[in-house]
Amino acid sequence: MMQFRDLNAQYMHLKAKIDARIQEVIQDSNFIFGAHVVDLEQKLANYVGRKYCISCANGTDALQLVLMAWGVGAEDAVFTSDFTFIASAGCASIVGATPVFVDIDPETFNIDPDALEKAIVRVLAEGKLKPKVIIPVDLFGLPADYPRIERIAQKYGLRVLEDSAQGLGGAIDSKQACSFGDAATTSFFPSKPLGCYGDGGAIFVDDEALDAQLRSLRAQGRSPHDKYDNCIVGMNSRLDTLQAAILLEKLYAFSSFELDAVIQVAEWYTSLLQGKVKTPSMPRGYRSSWAQYTLVLEDAAQRELVKRALANDGIPSMVYYPRGLHQQNVFRMMNLSDAQFPVTTRMTRCVLSLPMHPYLRQDEVQNVSTSLLRSLS
Ligand SMILES: *Cc1c(COP(=O)(O)O)cnc(C)c1O
């Protein structure tokens, strides 16, 4: 059976190098904050074009650490996309702030700047919460509309935190994902564009003081000068040396050929499916790292039919996401309705993501497309 994201094919390709790296770490036995961690942080910062990279335990902690560093808490409003993974909003709740969901653009699946501005104006008019942070999400690998979002942030005095857990490798013109806003975060969960062999995450910033504060916060709030003097309450959120060593090899593969390969796979899909079913659209000047290749079908019934037909041919497909955040049980006390989020609500019924990774062959893409088109005829 075909894999949705074939991590084993990748390992087989990189095996010698990854195995050697793992041996290196075990020989060194510097399992926490070893040299590989420092090396990886520098290479990642260079890759995305930002001054500082602070690695941490996962993409969820990365978001929370930034909100903690900015002192976001009770009475603060944090705006994020309604169509995303729970962590984009959970980070606000967990620091005591209130997440405010914003509907998406039907073409890009990303936060709709017009709806964002309306939500900020509404929160200001209500006068209960103070608008503090916008967390745009680079969904499925495609950067959000930062040129417009950053203008809105400036107009209303908000900070921007780019949730690029799915976005590493994307770009707008020559500006890389993880370089937008006041800070950016990513995840190295195995199935993300750059994944490790367990959990991992990173934060990217340009501000030296913020970098120092985040390094302290990820290590129990310890003072930069004295390991056993703690000035603030922090988290224990570290990237293991083993994961960093694996990521060094994977980053090399990602930047030298995997990103190009996955873009090629997307082009194969699009050329076979375009005009017959709604394929992903790409605004001019944007590059996606194709964390997902997501179609929009006509309705829930058609999606179910396609999903079943693919499964019958041994082809996995996934629904990202079956619920908007406004439909999550954990936020039921907000009493939000589907009518307030028409685009997200439609997408939860119609989207379907196809197998996607850099090691997919052209004949495999052909098979998926043939199976899919047959189910629609
Ligand atoms: C995966 C993901 C996260 C969380 O990353 P973890 O490493 O799993 O904690 C946050 N935001 C988005 C959009 C994600 O897809």
Side-chain angles (χ1 to χ4, degrees):
M1 162 130 174
M2 186 179 204
Q3 298 287 307
F4 187 73
R5 188 169 185 92
D6 197 338
L7 296 174
N8 194 254
Q10 182 194 43
Y11 176 60
M12 286 305 146
H13 196 84
L14 306 174
K15 185 175 186 320
K17 287 179 168 176
I18 288 179
D19 290 357
R21 286 290 192 170
I22 290 172
Q23 278 309 310
E24 229 172 73
V25 175
I26 296 171
Q27 293 298 325
D28 260 15
S29 294
N30 237 323
F31 296 111
I32 301 292
F33 287 144
H36 298 84
V37 177
V38 179
D39 192 9
L40 178 72
E41 288 181 344
Q42 278 167 358
K43 290 200 162 79
L44 282 168
N46 281 345
Y47 179 72
V48 308
R50 205 143 206 169
K51 276 200 191 138
Y52 305 102
C53 168
I54 305 99
S55 62
C56 63
N58 55 68
T60 305
D61 282 6
L63 290 165
Q64 185 183 335
L65 283 162
V66 175
L67 295 186
M68 287 168 77
W70 287 345
V72 176
E75 263 121 78
D76 291 334
V78 175
F79 299 82
T80 193
S81 169
D82 188 44
F83 194 55
T84 177
F85 182 60
I86 186 77
S88 313
C91 60
S93 304
I94 214 151
V95 299
T98 303
V100 177
F101 311 129
V102 179
D103 207 5
I104 56 165
D105 178 324
E107 290 302 316
T108 62
F109 305 115
N110 283 331
I111 194 166
D112 174 350
D114 292 323
L116 169 64
E117 184 160 9
K118 278 192 199 130
I120 295 170
V121 168
R122 193 189 66 232
V123 168
L124 284 170
E126 284 167 2
K128 287 188 215 130
L129 299 169
K130 187 168 183 324
K132 268 280 178 69
V133 179
I134 304 163
I135 307 186
V137 180
D138 302 339
L139 204 77
F140 305 152
L142 183 71
D145 186 350
Y146 292 99
R148 288 196 58 201
I149 292 165
E150 285 172 356
R151 250 178 281 137
I152 293 168
Q154 252 175 12
K155 180 170 169 189
Y156 297 94
L158 279 77
R159 285 187 167 125
V160 174
L161 168 52
E162 176 189 4
D163 180 352
S164 202
Q166 305 180 14
L168 196 80
I172 305 178
D173 297 319
S174 57
K175 201 164 158 37
Q176 297 276 351
C178 292
S179 74
F180 297 101
D182 302 280
T185 60
T186 196
S187 163
F188 306 122
F189 184 82
S191 60
K192 303 286 163 121
L194 177 64
C196 62
Y197 288 167
D199 279 305
I203 306 164
F204 298 90
V205 301
D206 289 317
D207 183 82
E208 190 179 350
L210 181 57
D211 169 66
Q213 207 179 354
L214 288 163
R215 284 180 200 283
S216 168
L217 280 168
R218 74 169 172 183
Q220 311 279 8
R222 83 182 187 197
S223 150
H225 317 292
D226 178 350
K227 186 170 169 180
Y228 293 103
D229 181 23
N230 295 65
C231 348
I232 43 173
V233 177
M235 298 173 76
N236 175 23
S237 186
R238 302 177 290 221
L239 182 72
D240 296 345
T241 311
L242 264 173
Q243 300 301 347
I246 291 161
L247 281 167
L248 278 169
E249 285 310 325
K250 294 246 244 165
L251 174 62
Y252 179 76
F254 181 76
S255 58
S256 53
F257 60 88
E258 285 184 352
L259 181 58
D260 291 338
V262 84
I263 289 171
Q264 173 66 261
V265 173
E267 281 168 9
W268 289 333
Y269 269 134
T270 299
S271 71
L272 290 162
L273 298 173
Q274 196 164 250
K276 296 159 186 153
V277 52
K278 173 93 178 66
T279 52
S281 41
M282 193 67 54
R284 187 186 289 276
Y286 280 60
R287 181 176 77 212
S288 175
S289 56
W290 298 105
Q292 305 296 340
Y293 189 91
T294 303
L295 303 174
V296 183
L297 296 161
E298 267 157 30
D299 50 32
Q302 192 190 49
R303 176 173 73 186
E304 197 46 39
L305 183 135
V306 170
K307 196 166 179 16
R308 266 205 222 128
L310 289 172
N312 277 336
D313 289 338
I315 299 163
S317 60
M318 304 287 278
V319 174
Y320 296 121
Y321 292 92
R323 279 168 187 264
L325 294 184
H326 78 275
Q327 297 166 321
Q328 291 285 355
N329 245 306
V330 63
F331 299 125
R332 65 191 173 279
M333 72 294 188
M334 295 185 183
N335 288 316
L336 300 168
S337 73
D338 287 354
Q340 295 167 266
F341 305 93
V343 183
T344 295
T345 301
R346 179 161 67 83
M347 292 307 166
T348 62
R349 295 178 185 139
C350 301
V351 286
L352 190 66
S353 301
L354 301 180
M356 192 61 179
H357 59 84
Y359 298 85
L360 265 182
R361 298 187 316 263
Q362 195 167 12
D363 61 297
E364 294 176 305
V365 171
Q366 185 92 51
N367 285 345
V368 175
S369 304
T370 304
S371 169
L372 193 150
L373 293 176
R374 203 187 313 122
S375 74
L376 289 178
S377 62

